[in-house]
Each structure stands twice: as structure tokens, then as C-alpha cells.
């Protein structure tokens, strides 16, 4: 059985697959908490978990081919007042990963470029590489046929507000091109997240398509906000209903199973869960930074205040590796910046409740 450890790629096949966090927990005897993923500190919401468990009794039936009623429920969550006119642009997937790959397969061939940050979530690049795109570097001034920006950016924590985001799109995408904006972590922004999201910009997106034939897709992984990575749940808001139908045509049928659909259908109504997420995540995040800053004055902490993780530069490859090893040994794995991101002095840790973070802090006392 493959065991995950801190010096190799664990269960990932490094030659074939992209490294991600979140694999160590199953192989740690003294496991306490997973700090290596960017999921919500509050874990799976109870009400949605109950709905998911109940749905197992329907496991002998096929899931609905139209993903309903979960798809419409998510549309209502995204656009409380305009869902009727916008919902035909939305489709669900088996995690955002399925949709990232589907949209890039359908994109116009040619060049691909990432967002303007030091690094970003790597599945976009992996898919572009697999589909024979020519990869432009982050600082290339050329416009690309396909551009993918993760906003807020995992792992760096950078975030572009809408005016900057629109400027980046105009400056980096060729007419006829595809733009994938990943807003998986954007709902953490605040109770007003919708107004700051590209999903609210109907006229802009329509105009970009009508006037420049630039197709803008907004991708969400719902496995982070609602802490259900094992269930697999993502969506894409397409520029037009025709784009949505083009995805539907090539998507494998029933890619979202009954358990994930039941979970989604319930979770969108859990306002209490989101209220506590918006209230506590920034508070715990700041507390975590304060404590780490005191212990390690040389460390630099990156990322917007509302995010569910902290991107930390320890300033030294050796220190970062020791921090990763100590965390692993104490049952609180963190994400090393080395595999995938190739930034070996960095570690990424999730925001978690103080009792869990204290275990990590204790583990790092000997650093
Ligand atoms: C920014 C971002 N997008 C997409 C994904 C993929 O998520 P999913 O689990 O829904 O496939 C992740 C997972 O870490 C992510 O961080």
C-alpha cells in the first residue's frame, strides 16, 4: 500500500499526475487535523451531511441526468434574484477538476497562460499541457488563446477585485479565446461575495462574447467552502447557454452522484454555516499569524485576510522541510511548497480552530 510521507510524492504518481495536498491523513496513526488542504475549518455542514447519508438509500438508482434539483438550487444560491434568467449557463461536475479539464479540452487550440501571480493551482496547466497547448510564461506580454486565473489564488492568496480582473482579461486574451476564472475560494470574501464575483457581471460577460468572441467561464470547486472533497462537487458558469450545452454534450453522463447532489441541494440553504465561516475564518487566521509571527519573526505571511489558508515563506528550504516533517509527525500535516509549486521555502497551512492549531504550534516549538 502506498504510504504518503513528506519527502516523496506519497500516493501520487509523480511522472503522470499533479501533486496535491490532502493525501497524508489516511496514513498517519496519530492523525489530528488536515492542515494541508484549503477546506472550511468548520468541516462538513451537519444538515447537508445528513441529507447525503440519507441519499445512500437511493444508491441503487441512477442520478438524475439533468442534475436536478441540485443544479437549480445552486443557481438560486449564486443568483438569488436572477436565477431564472441565468441558470441555463450553469452545469455541475464531479469536482471542479472534471470541468477544468472539460473546458480546456473544448477551448481553441494554441497558447495558454496562467494568472499574473507567482504560482497558482496547477490543474489548469496540467490540462493545458495534456491537450498540447503551448504554455506561455507568467510574465509573457503575449495574449493567449486560453488564459486561466485563480482568484483568490491558491496558494499565494492574491486576489483581484473586479476592475483589475477585467483589465487582466482584456490584456491577456486573444479575440476568440477562452478565459477560465476560478472563484472556488471567492465566497469566503464576505456576506457580499456575490457583488464582488464575476458571476454577477452578466452584461460584461455577454458583451465580451458578443463583441470580442471571448468566452469567460467561472469555475467553482464546492469541495472547499462546504468541506466535501471526498464527495466531489464543482460547477461552471458558462458565458452563454450554448456553451453550457456544448459541455453537456461531451460530459460523461451521471458524473455527479446521488450523494453529492443531495449534499449540494441541502447545503445551499445552510446560512448559519456561512455566517460562522465569514465571522470566524478571518479571526482565526489573524490569530494564527500573530502566534506564528511571534515564534518565527523571520517568516512572511501571504494572502487576503478572509482566506481559509495562509501561504508562508519560512525563508529557508531546510526550515520549511523541517516544519513539514514535524507537522506530519504530530498528526497535523501541512502542504509543502516544494512538490507541484517548486517553492521549497514555502508551506501552506489551513486556518483551523485554535485547539487544533495549538497541536501544530506545539509541534513547531522545536524548529
Ligand atoms: C483553486 C482550486 N480550484 C479547483 C480545485 C479542484 O477542486 P475539486 O476538489 O472540486 O476538484 C482546487 C482544489 O484544491 C482548488 O484549490
Amino acid at each position: 500500500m502506498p504510504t504518503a510521507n513528506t519527502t516523496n510524492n506519497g500516493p501520487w504518481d509523480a511522472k503522470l499526475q499533479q501533486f496535491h495536498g490532502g493525501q497524508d491523513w489516511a496514513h498517519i496513526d496519530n492523525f489530528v487535523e488536515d492542515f494541508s488542504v484549503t477546506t472550511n475549518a468548520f468541516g462538513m455542514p451537519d444538515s447537508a451531511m445528513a441529507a447525503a447519508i440519507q441519499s445512500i438509500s437511493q444508491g441503487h438508482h441512477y442520478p438524475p441526468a439533468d442534475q436536478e434539483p441540485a443544479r437549480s438550487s445552486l443557481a438560486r444560491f449564486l443568483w438569488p434574484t436572477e436565477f431564472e434568467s441565468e441558470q441555463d449557463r450553469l452545469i455541475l461536475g464531479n469536482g471542479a477538476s472534471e470541468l477544468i479539464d472539460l473546458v480546456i479540452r473544448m477551448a481553441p487550440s494554441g497558447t495558454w497562460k496562467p494568472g499574473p501571480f507567482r504560482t497558482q493551482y496547477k490543474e489548469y496547466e496540467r490540462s493545458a499541457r495534456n491537450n498540447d497547448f503551448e504554455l506561455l510564461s507568467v510574465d509573457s506580454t503575449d495574449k493567449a488563446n486560453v488564459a486561466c486565473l485563480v482568484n483568490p489564488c491558491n496558494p499565494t492568496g492574491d486576489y483581484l477585485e473586479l476592475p483589475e480582473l477585467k483589465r487582466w482579461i482584456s490584456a491577456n486574451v486573444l479575440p476568440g479565446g477562452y478565459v477560465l476564472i476560478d472563484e472556488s475560494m471567492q465566497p469566503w470574501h464576505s456576506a457580499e461575495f456575490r457583488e464582488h464575483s464575476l458571476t454577477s457581471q452578466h452584461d460584461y460577460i455577454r458583451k465580451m462574447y458578443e463583441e470580442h468572441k471571448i468566452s469567460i467561464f467561472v469555475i467553482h470547486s464546492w469541495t472547499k467552502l462546504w468541506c466535501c472533497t471526498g464527495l466531489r462537487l464543482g460547477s461552471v458558469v458558462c458565458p452563454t447557454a450554448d456553451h453550457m450545452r456544448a459541455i453537456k454534450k461531451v460530459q460523461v453522463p451521471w458524473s455527479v452522484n446521488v450523494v453529492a447532489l443531495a449534499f449540494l441541494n441541502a447545503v445551499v440553504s445552510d446560512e448559519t454555516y456561512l455566517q460562522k465561516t465569514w465571522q470566524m475564518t478571518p479571526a482565526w487566521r489573524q490569530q494564527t499569524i500573530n502566534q506564528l509571527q511571534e515564534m518565527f519573526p523571520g517568516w512572511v505571511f501571504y494572502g487576503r485576510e478572509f482566506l481559509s489558508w495562509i501561504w508562508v515563506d519560512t525563508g529557508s528550504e531546510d526550515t520549511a522541510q523541517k516544519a513539514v516533517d514535524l507537522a506530519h509527525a504530530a498528526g497535523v500535516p501541512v502542504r509543502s511548497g516544494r512538490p507541484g509549486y517548486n517553492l521549497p521555502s514555502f508551506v501552506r497551512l489551513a486556518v483551523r480552530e485554535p485547539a487544533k492549531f495549538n497541536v501544530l504550534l506545539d509541534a513547531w516549538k522545536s524548529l
Side-chain angles (χ1 to χ4, degrees), residues 1-54:
M1 179 157 149
T3 52
N5 68 39
T6 55
T7 50
N8 65 23
N9 278 333
W12 299 105
D13 183 330
K15 288 209 183 80
L16 305 176
Q17 294 177 296
Q18 174 62 48
F19 181 90
H20 295 287
Q23 295 286 320
D24 291 4
W25 68 273
H27 308 284
I28 298 179
D29 292 339
N30 59 341
F31 177 75
V32 179
E33 176 62 276
D34 196 352
F35 283 80
S36 76
V37 286
T38 57
T39 51
N40 195 317
F42 285 101
M44 270 183 136
D46 291 339
S47 56
M49 183 158 26
I53 290 169
Q54 210 184 0

Side-chain angles (χ1 to χ4, degrees), residues 91-155:
I91 189 162
L92 308 180
N94 190 263
S97 303
E98 183 199 12
L99 299 166
I100 292 168
D101 192 57
L102 268 181
V103 175
I104 291 184
R105 278 171 201 254
M106 295 166 56
S109 57
T111 51
W112 175 92
K113 86 190 289 188
F117 313 122
R118 186 165 184 187
T119 189
Q120 72 175 21
Y121 183 69
K122 287 284 180 179
E123 280 301 313
Y124 293 90
E125 181 179 323
R126 183 178 85 99
S127 185
R129 205 183 288 281
N130 283 344
N131 288 286
D132 298 326
F133 281 86
E134 180 195 336
L135 305 189
L136 301 179
S137 78
V138 61
D139 34 64
S140 161
T141 50
D142 292 344
K143 291 185 176 184
N145 299 97
V146 179
C148 299
L149 185 152
V150 181
N151 195 45
C153 180
N154 174 20

Side-chain angles (χ1 to χ4, degrees), residues 95-97 100 121 150 154 182 184-185 221 223-224 232-233:
S97 303
I100 292 168
Y121 183 69
V150 181
N154 174 20
D182 185 320
S184 301
M185 316 301 187
S221 163
T223 68
K224 307 303 177 308
R232 319 300 305 125
L233 210 41

Side-chain angles (χ1 to χ4, degrees), residues 55 58-68 253-259 261:
S55 73
Q58 294 158 11
H60 60 302
H61 294 299
Y62 273 105
D66 58 1
Q67 309 175 328
E68 294 294 356
W254 315 295
S255 82
V256 189
N257 64 57
V258 286
V259 180
L261 288 173

